Amino acid sequence: MSSVVNPSASYAGRLAPSPTGHLHLGHARTFWIAAERARTAGGRLLLRIDDLDTARCRPDYTAAALEDLAWLGLVTEPPVHFQSARLTHYRAALARLHAAHLVYPCHRSRRDLAGALSAPHEGNAPADDEPLYPPEWRPAPGTPLPALDDAGLALNWRCRVPDGETIAFNDALAGPQSAVAGRDFGDFLVWRKDGMPSYQLACAVDDAALGITEVVRGADLIRSTFRQLLLLRTLSATVPSYAHAPLMLDEHGNRLAKRHDSLALRTLRAAGVTPAAVLARFAPTGSPPTKP
Ligand code: GLU
């Protein structure tokens, strides 16, 4: 009996909505591109619910997202992976960063950081990116770290970036990307004093743990990718490839946000728009992954 190995059968992608509002057309397009890439590669598509922000996430938004995805016909492989159920994995990852002395506790407030930023700085980071952390606020390397006990987990922890190192990746949709650590992005939060990992840590841990081979998401997260690549390397995890889809803009050129209720999938559905009509709008940008 001969066995034929399909080299792309190991493809694993994921959809990762945050249940902080209703899914809109922008999500639908990114998720459709992700689903098409997984389908074309003959791979799997997982669903991860990014529900760590307890102040903003709501179970009814999760239920609505599942319903909207089913309505669109975007099928993911069970089970659904809830980040809120994976805290032990994030704690273990923090412990590894701690053991490697790559994190330090940060006692600075947002206000401290905002004050520091009034000094001119040459970064061209978008307004919603995490601000550059002043390197002079870092503790000296080798400074003893507090233990990760209950008190330690109730601190903010930052990852120390390798200043001057260029982090680069070749994005399947957005082309070659690079950023210099310490210049384009600084020491970033990996853990919050409310006992929760940052998005960067949780995402890197999950993409590795779930065996994701290609991350497809919106281009607004390109800058996060540099941080996640550093974390994946530090955690000795396999690095996925990335495909950042262009963001959908509204008629004023602003990116769609969850407050654009008129473009929420459920609003469109209630107005009689069919899933086929929604998906038909995306076809030109959803080109399949190119084979090497
Ligand atoms: N949950 C994130 C969002 O909705 C996406 C995270 C990701 O794809 O890495 O913006």
Side-chain angles (χ1 to χ4, degrees), residues 85-101:
R86 298 179 46 77
L87 282 174
T88 50
H89 299 272
Y90 311 135
R91 281 197 206 111
L94 177 65
R96 289 186 62 179
L97 299 174
H98 183 271
H101 273 257

Side-chain angles (χ1 to χ4, degrees), residues 183-204:
R183 187 196 74 185
D184 298 325
F185 66 99
D187 293 355
F188 56 95
L189 276 181
V190 290
W191 195 263
R192 297 181 200 288
K193 59 187 182 185
D194 62 1
M196 291 289 184
S198 70
Y199 157 67
Q200 309 296 358
L201 182 65
C203 184

Side-chain angles (χ1 to χ4, degrees), residues 266-280:
R266 47 199 40 227
T267 310
L268 298 174
R269 171 160 56 143
V273 178
T274 63
V278 171
L279 298 180

Side-chain angles (χ1 to χ4, degrees), residues 49 73 97 117 126-127 155 179 194 199 227 235:
I49 302 290
L97 299 174
L117 289 175
L155 299 172
D194 62 1
Y199 157 67
R227 300 168 173 101
L235 297 169

Side-chain angles (χ1 to χ4, degrees), residues 14 16-18 27 48 50 199 203 215-217 221 228 258:
R14 84 316 192 260
S18 300
H27 297 106
R48 182 182 91 201
D50 288 0
Y199 157 67
C203 184
V215 170
V216 181
R217 59 186 172 196
L221 290 170
Q228 291 170 21
K258 285 179 176 140

Side-chain angles (χ1 to χ4, degrees), residues 18-33:
S18 300
T20 54
H22 288 132
L23 299 186
H24 55 61
L25 269 184
H27 297 106
R29 185 170 71 166
T30 304
F31 292 165
W32 179 77
I33 293 171

